[in-house]
Amino acid sequence: MNKFAAHAPSDAAKGMRALASGWFGEVSDMWPGQAMSLRVDEELFRGKSDFQDVLVFRNAAYGNVLVLDGVIQATERDEFSYQEMMTHLALCSTKSAPKRVLVVGGGDGGVLREVTRHSSVERAEMAEIDGMVPEMAKKYLPYMARGFEDPRAEVMICDGIDYVTKAEADSYDAIIVDSSDPIGPASVLFEEKFFRQIYRVLKPGGVLCSQAECAWLHLDLIVDLAKMCKEIFVNGSVQYGYTSIPTYPSGQIGFMLCCKPDEDGSTVDFTKPKRYPTPVEGSDLKPMRYYNAQVHAAAFVLPEFAREALEPHLVRGKE
Amino acid sequence: MNKFAAHAPSDAAKGMRALASGWFGEVSDMWPGQAMSLRVDEELFRGKSDFQDVLVFRNAAYGNVLVLDGVIQATERDEFSYQEMMTHLALCSTKSAPKRVLVVGGGDGGVLREVTRHSSVERAEMAEIDGMVPEMAKKYLPYMARGFEDPRAEVMICDGIDYVTKAEADSYDAIIVDSSDPIGPASVLFEEKFFRQIYRVLKPGGVLCSQAECAWLHLDLIVDLAKMCKEIFVNGSVQYGYTSIPTYPSGQIGFMLCCKPDEDGSTVDFTKPKRYPTPVEGSDLKPMRYYNAQVHAAAFVLPEFAREALEPHLVRGKE
């Protein structure tokens, strides 16, 4: 008898419910009528942080699975797609190799791990609001948490908006906003006020990569986000890329990539990778499994329905 | 109370079961531990053909959904991705515009509809084993069934292997094998004997596009299929492309594309589209929503884990 079965009928609130005994179903108003479902082979943790419901379970096929407020955040089997693409679409696009990088959110550590894959990076700061998430990652998603061990990593448990607001202008080569969906604690990470602060603290020529939902589900939201970014990154570039990932809703997730214009007026064309991540000597990170230069360029080729809606609101770089 | 709820506990066989009242969960040994789940807002049909279990239901977000043997075949919302990509990756790649095309399987009519989008096509034959599938499509998926109305379409309800085996050598510009998964009635459509017959009946320079599963789930099977194709299409080309589609397992599906060498020894490079589908005058087909020339080329750019495993067994064209 599956350990999870006894718990299944409870916790129907916030979508954290099993569709049947022994299964977790990702039911949410954000994607009505559909639910990625994973069998719960062993429940490892169920609790509440100060910010959200936290669930960790083991699935024989996907390994350990982290769920926040009823939404799958990462599984050991497919996390590499999201972490590699979110990180390297940004860090491989800048004119000079990035030195100072900030991750907002991303408490599971996966993006931080990929940031540390770049030997050029001198400081990798992370501002995560929920201290329970890194703790869960260290315990249950050890390969994702690997970035925490890097001596260049500086992990702050704090409000990411506060952190950015207090940061000095023109400080960062790249900022990655690895947020959960725009319902719940991450909703403020999709607001104009926050994006204006990001713009302020980016160096000239610096880049932002923000989690930007799935074109199959939230094209209207993505269009609105692109419009906002185009207004904020004046004379900059704004592009939308995506990756496939089985355990995110509809099997894919996108990223909004924005560049603040450089002092000479040039901007990054994100579709053209400038480098390949080279870890510091002695690194024991596994080779990448999703990202390569061709995948980087292809990530910006949108299906016709998405291209038609989004292209008028994107701005290609002028390198 | 949802109409489906009363039926839910029955039909647990063959994975055709609801994970909970009012939901359909695509449970299968082919993708253990995961299940795309769709809410059943109205059950429209449930029965058995001579070959398989057939279920049709309505989902408020996805429209009408066709399920065979417990596996989602098509939904009105996202079918265009599969049909357009499967068809045009093949028909836009040939040196000359295709005239005679055969679809094996594809009883829902979606691929046939896309084949008729090419004004060059003179004969669009379809050999589908299960007569109930076109009937279901005509009734519940009318836009998919549109191809049946085209005067160039010739729909045969028969065994596709028999049909190909009896066909004349060097007859077809393109053959599309739109099969279900390699368990159940479609298993023979993944066998060497069938592929050898396809090779025989293709014209020199003719192309095959065969449904070829998802790299996230069945990379070993895809590698085996590529090896087999490389042996059969001697001096030809063999490439693997894919598309995203939310309601297929893990959100994507791939295609094996093979070219029989032309008389001058040249072969098709599938990554380079040669034309854009142009419907016959007066056609009332809606514009395409997934395919365009850039998407065509990008479909062959594989994530690193898939590229590494597959590339040694692929053969790029020499045009």
Side-chain angles (χ1 to χ4, degrees), chain A residues 172-209:
Chain A
Y172 293 97
D173 296 294
I175 297 178
I176 298 173
V177 182
D178 178 14
S179 63
S180 45
D181 294 299
I183 291 179
S187 63
V188 288
L189 300 182
F190 290 84
E191 288 177 8
E192 182 179 339
K193 206 169 68 174
F194 178 54
F195 276 71
R196 289 207 180 274
Q197 286 298 328
I198 286 178
Y199 183 87
R200 185 183 64 81
V201 303
L202 280 174
K203 284 185 193 160
V207 298
L208 162 69
C209 178

Side-chain angles (χ1 to χ4, degrees), chain B residues 78-183:
Chain B
D78 65 2
E79 56 89 8
F80 63 90
S81 156
Y82 179 77
Q83 325 292 353
E84 290 178 17
M85 292 298 278
M86 173 166 245
T87 307
H88 307 310
L89 288 182
L91 300 195
C92 296
S93 292
T94 53
K95 203 194 299 185
S96 329
K99 292 181 181 170
R100 190 173 176 196
V101 179
L102 169 65
V103 182
V104 178
D108 53 41
V111 166
L112 194 65
R113 177 192 70 205
E114 293 304 318
V115 170
T116 66
R117 201 185 282 281
H118 290 258
S119 58
S120 64
V121 169
E122 293 164 4
R123 295 182 68 182
E125 295 157 59
M126 188 183 96
E128 161 64 49
I129 201 165
D130 190 343
M132 194 186 269
V133 180
E135 292 316 308
M136 289 290 118
K138 285 175 193 166
K139 190 160 179 187
Y140 298 114
L141 303 162
Y143 186 61
M144 287 182 68
R146 189 70 71 84
F148 296 134
E149 298 160 21
D150 192 286
R152 296 166 294 168
E154 303 169 35
V155 177
M156 272 75 60
I157 303 303
C158 66
D159 182 315
I161 298 185
D162 273 3
Y163 191 80
V164 172
T165 305
K166 288 173 185 158
E168 266 185 59
D170 306 335
S171 301
Y172 294 98
D173 296 294
I175 297 178
I176 299 173
V177 182
D178 178 13
S179 64
S180 45
D181 295 297
I183 291 181

